[in-house]
């Protein structure tokens, strides 16, 4: 179930105490699995939080996730796009 992977990703994200923590990679895996199972608007938060983890570990692909969540009208993501992603384009 996609929601279980989403919740697991959130938990692992919160357990990561540094950008070098293995929990970051595990969280990205879980969010990706959640998206693979349901890539519709109801799962916009998986894109958003995967972007947050990627931003935390300084992965340049974070904005791709923020853009997708923003396309699904997830406002928190749209605010981040305006602040950190848009200037890079």
């Amino acid at each position: 179930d996609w929601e279980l992977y989403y919740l697991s990703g959130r938990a692992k994200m919160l357990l990561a105490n540094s950008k070098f923590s293995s929990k970051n990679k595990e969280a990205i895996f879980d969010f990706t699995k959640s998206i693979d199972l349901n890539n519709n608007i109801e799962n916009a938060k998986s894109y958003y939080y995967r972007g947050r983890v990627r931003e935390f570990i300084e992965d340049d692909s974070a904005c791709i996730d923020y853009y997708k969540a923003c396309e699904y009208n997830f406002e928190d993501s749209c605010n981040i796009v305006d602040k950190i992603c848009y200037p890079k384009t």
Side-chain angles (χ1 to χ4, degrees):
D1 185 69
W2 68 270
E3 289 178 298
L4 294 175
Y5 282 102
Y6 164 75
L7 293 172
S8 177
R10 288 283 289 140
K12 290 171 183 169
M13 177 183 167
L14 295 172
L15 290 172
N17 54 6
S18 80
K19 71 179 188 176
F20 304 107
S21 172
S22 63
K23 295 294 179 193
N24 292 311
K25 186 175 180 180
E26 293 172 20
I28 290 171
F29 175 85
D30 286 346
F31 290 130
T32 301
K33 186 68 174 172
S34 178
I35 291 165
D36 288 345
L37 294 170
N38 179 5
N39 63 358
N40 295 312
I41 193 168
E42 65 187 342
N43 197 14
K45 287 183 180 181
S46 284
Y47 286 102
Y48 172 73
Y49 286 112
R50 185 173 69 178
R52 294 277 310 261
V53 175
R54 287 178 168 170
E55 181 183 0
F56 182 64
I57 64 171
E58 300 175 359
D59 181 336
D60 290 335
S61 63
C63 285
I64 295 169
D65 288 326
Y66 289 143
Y67 280 122
K68 188 64 174 182
C70 185
E71 284 177 23
Y72 287 150
N73 297 317
F74 191 70
E75 192 164 328
D76 290 346
S77 191
C78 296
N79 293 334
I80 291 174
V81 166
D82 289 342
K83 289 179 185 172
I84 68 165
C85 299
Y86 184 72
K88 293 182 180 179
T89 61

